[in-house]
Amino acid sequence: AVGQANPTLASQYNSLQNKIQVYPNPATENIFLAGDLSDYESVKIFSADGRLICTQIINFEQINVSKLQAGNYILQLSGSNKKTQSITIIKK
């Protein structure tokens, strides 16, 4: 039916609004998180091949990546009441 709202598009839009932003990306020293971090408790950094590099409690919107080797990493945010969110980052 023409004119009816598409619930799939609406839910995709809502999930985009809740998405955490990471900058700068690529990063050299620190990365910063922007968005609603209220229910996220920890961040894990995985190498591109899936190895866990480190786990950090989210207490600031900043994560130091200066010790990481150059390459691609996956940042995984998690919390007890939040769906896990994964973000690809590049370390220069």
Side-chain angles (χ1 to χ4, degrees):
V2 175
Q4 286 187 337
N6 182 332
T8 304
L9 289 176
S11 66
Q12 284 176 348
Y13 178 72
N14 288 339
S15 68
L16 285 175
Q17 280 191 315
N18 296 334
K19 198 144 179 73
I20 304 298
Q21 301 296 316
V22 175
Y23 63 93
N25 194 8
T28 52
E29 291 286 319
N30 293 301
I31 53 174
F32 298 90
L33 305 173
D36 182 11
L37 294 166
S38 57
D39 290 330
Y40 289 112
E41 292 150 10
S42 66
V43 60
K44 293 179 179 173
I45 299 178
F46 292 91
S47 61
D49 62 3
R51 286 181 298 118
L52 178 61
I53 304 295
C54 70
T55 302
Q56 187 175 323
I57 300 299
I58 298 175
N59 49 4
F60 302 105
E61 286 93 25
Q62 176 180 327
I63 298 164
N64 187 308
V65 294
S66 62
K67 292 186 175 89
L68 297 177
Q69 300 290 321
N72 293 353
Y73 293 88
I74 296 154
L75 210 65
Q76 191 178 75
L77 297 156
S78 59
S80 52
N81 299 323
K82 268 299 207 200
K83 197 173 139 200
T84 299
Q85 190 168 140
S86 297
I87 302 163
T88 303
I89 61 164
I90 300 166
K91 167 68 167 70
K92 277 192 188 176

